[in-house]
Amino acid sequence: MTIENLSANKSFGGWHKQYSHQSLTLNCSMRFAIYLPPQVSSGEKVPVLYWLSGLTCTDENFMQKAAAQRIAAELGIAIVAPDTSPRGENVADDEGYDLGQGAGFYVNASQAPWDRHYKMYDYVVNELPALIEATFPVSDRRAISGHSMGGHGALTIAMLNPQRYTSMSAFSPICNPMTAPWGKKAFTAYLGKDKATWKNHDASELMRQATQFVPAKVDQGGADDFLVEQLKPEVLEAAAKVSGYPLVLAIHEGYDHSYYFISSFIEEHLRFHATHLYK
């Protein structure tokens, strides 16, 4: 598969690069960013943390605001950040910020007009890792993390594919999208009205029924404006108690939904993943 390098910036001895490629899964051109730590210059294959961003975001939000490169360089971890949805003139969209372009929700849409392009689950789980592992000096050791909508994606994708990921984490995830306005709108559009199909993409439902475990870390800001209506971490915590899931969930008072919160705790997340990626 042909990929095009769009930019390259040296950072903490490694390289942050942006690429575009034609996605067969999404039927459009896609962009992703990758941070390659300095260890790759000596020929070492490094493990990868996949980062899934939230509503309205692109690969640039995390790479420019999270301040993750310094610790990734120290730990020898590559970071891959895809876009949050398919994009383009012929890609279905919606007037709202919480549906359509910028709001793929990391599911495979089954409903028209979304089903032609919106297959973000398959893209993140299969196509993108295959491309990354065939193109860059990385191993097949993978972890996954994300924020808000991307936190929902990281948790659900890891629990649906426990053999593919060593660990999972999330900042301010949509923990119970079946009962949250964001989730109900997106799931109805992408998956249809049958709520039985929604359960496969609800982190709390998956965690409650889980029999295979992926080590999990979740951090939530106590001053997050979306905490009560949209995010519902207490539902995820209750689900973990039912199945005995190895979830570590912390509420940080005073922190909001922004990248000020993420950058304050990203080092903890990277070190958490490193213990499992290098185990």
Side-chain angles (χ1 to χ4, degrees):
M1 184 179 297
T2 301
I3 68 172
E4 178 185 358
N5 181 227
L6 303 176
S7 66
N9 302 93
K10 195 161 188 179
S11 178
F12 296 99
W15 287 91
H16 165 266
K17 298 183 178 184
Q18 279 183 320
Y19 289 89
S20 67
H21 73 105
Q22 190 67 29
S23 169
L24 300 179
T25 300
L26 303 178
N27 295 305
C28 67
S29 178
M30 286 294 287
R31 191 178 75 187
F32 68 87
I34 184 168
Y35 177 70
L36 294 167
Q39 289 82 354
V40 303
S41 63
S42 61
E44 180 180 346
K45 284 194 171 186
V46 298
V48 183
L49 173 68
Y50 288 86
W51 173 270
L52 307 182
S53 289
L55 289 167
T56 75
C57 292
T58 68
D59 62 284
E60 293 183 339
N61 297 73
F62 178 81
M63 289 299 198
Q64 295 181 7
K65 296 180 179 180
Q69 288 89 342
R70 178 177 65 85
I71 303 303
E74 174 194 329
L75 298 174
I77 297 173
I79 302 175
V80 172
D83 203 347
T84 50
S85 78
R87 297 182 191 267
E89 292 184 4
N90 297 319
V91 175
D93 200 6
D94 184 83
E95 293 181 356
Y97 73 94
D98 51 357
L99 185 68
Q101 296 187 35
F105 268 84
Y106 306 102
V107 302
N108 286 340
S110 59
Q111 307 298 303
W114 313 102
D115 55 345
R116 173 166 168 72
H117 297 283
Y118 285 76
K119 306 286 186 181
M120 285 299 293
Y121 175 89
D122 281 350
Y123 180 72
V124 170
V125 174
N126 298 312
E127 185 179 23
L128 182 60
L131 175 62
I132 296 298
E133 290 162 22
T135 307
F136 301 100
V138 302
S139 72
D140 61 0
R141 298 282 290 175
R142 312 176 196 94
I144 192 165
S145 185
H147 171 231
S148 194
M149 176 186 72
H152 137 77
L155 297 179
T156 56
I157 284 173
M159 284 189 281
L160 289 168
N161 301 273
Q163 74 286 354
R164 290 184 64 85
Y165 301 97
T166 64
S167 49
M168 64 183 185
S169 74
F171 290 87
S172 316
I174 307 172
C175 295
N176 190 206
M178 291 182 65
T179 66
W182 282 337
K184 288 191 283 188
K185 179 178 179 179
F187 285 4
T188 300
Y190 297 147
L191 304 175
K193 296 181 179 180
D194 182 2
K195 293 185 178 180
T197 64
W198 297 10
K199 292 183 178 181
N200 290 327
H201 300 284
D202 186 297
S204 296
E205 291 291 329
L206 292 171
M207 192 165 283
R208 183 178 295 110
Q209 300 169 20
T211 57
Q212 297 184 66
F213 300 148
V214 180
K217 178 176 176 60
V218 172
D219 284 276
Q220 171 65 58
D224 192 319
D225 289 340
F226 304 112
L227 178 61
V228 175
E229 184 179 30
Q230 302 280 13
L231 306 180
K232 305 177 187 291
E234 71 282 356
V235 181
L236 186 72
E237 192 169 39
K241 291 179 180 178
V242 172
S243 63
Y245 211 97
L247 169 68
V248 177
L249 190 154
I251 306 293
H252 301 274
E253 294 305 322
Y255 287 92
D256 58 19
H257 200 70
S258 72
Y259 268 83
Y260 293 108
F261 171 48
I262 295 170
S263 62
S264 297
F265 296 97
I266 191 63
E267 179 173 350
E268 292 184 11
H269 281 243
L270 288 170
R271 295 193 185 281
F272 163 76
H273 288 297
T275 62
H276 298 286
L277 285 166
Y278 280 106
K279 184 177 292 184

